[in-house]
Amino acid sequence: MQLPFSTAIGILAAFSAVATPVAAQSCPQAAQFGVVIVSPTTLSPGDTFTVNANFTCAAQLGVNPQYTDYYIEVPVNNNGHEPPILLARRTLDASSATPLLDSFTMQLPYAYYFANTGYVVMLETTYPVTGTNGSPYSVVGGVEAPITITNI
Ligand SMILES: *[C@@H]1O[C@H](CO)[C@@H](O)[C@H](O)[C@H]1NC(C)=O
């Protein structure tokens, strides 16, 4: 039996859809350096907060973190007196049951903050890439999560 041309195309399309990894489809390019979630997002100095990072999509997109550094930053309209504040310098735990997840809890530093300022928690992911002669070197990519800092 000969299939109508349109049916054959439909079958091909169905097969290629199955062949495409489902997980890769759900990984937006924006997740290439990790996904960072801060909780809660409204904080005063001394408040306890948790940072969760997920590198599942990063790994699928070829980014395998060597170091993960977390800062509070003012990326837009920085007044020149708002340097990045280091929160934590971490490495993923390859021996963990969830080696692509990172989590830590800390208190918001009693730093100098300013009103009406767009603070974010910035995750800076350092990862290896292959150089022109085939040897590895490291580059850094960042992803941010907005926070509001009150009672400053
Ligand atoms: C980590 O990200 C992956 C891919 O988006 C997702 O499937 C998984 O549920 C996430 N894990 C956690 C603990 O959020």
Side-chain angles (χ1 to χ4, degrees):
M1 184 193 88
Q2 245 194 337
L3 291 173
F5 183 67
S6 61
T7 307
I9 294 286
I11 290 171
L12 279 179
F15 269 107
S16 62
V18 168
T20 306
V22 172
Q25 283 181 338
S26 66
C27 279
Q29 201 64 26
Q32 65 178 328
F33 304 128
V35 173
V36 62
I37 296 172
V38 181
S39 176
T41 55
T42 297
L43 295 167
S44 301
D47 280 358
T48 297
F49 66 103
T50 298
V51 177
N52 286 294
N54 184 339
F55 299 93
T56 306
C57 280
Q60 280 179 24
L61 295 168
V63 172
N64 296 298
Q66 295 168 306
Y67 313 109
T68 55
D69 293 329
Y70 300 82
Y71 298 88
I72 291 176
E73 292 189 19
V74 180
V76 178
N77 294 329
N78 192 295
N79 69 11
H81 303 281
E82 294 159 336
I85 299 165
L86 181 66
L87 296 178
R89 168 162 291 174
R90 300 174 59 84
T91 52
L92 296 183
D93 182 359
S95 68
S96 143
T98 53
L100 294 174
L101 300 179
D102 192 16
S103 180
F104 63 93
T105 296
M106 64 176 295
Q107 291 181 321
L108 189 72
Y110 287 86
Y112 293 95
Y113 303 106
F114 296 84
N116 304 316
T117 299
Y119 289 101
V120 303
V121 169
M122 183 77 77
L123 160 60
E124 301 277 11
T125 300
T126 304
Y127 63 100
V129 294
T130 302
T132 54
N133 70 349
S135 65
Y137 66 103
S138 296
V139 294
V140 183
V143 63
E144 62 192 51
I147 57 170
T148 301
I149 299 180
T150 58
N151 301 320
I152 52 180

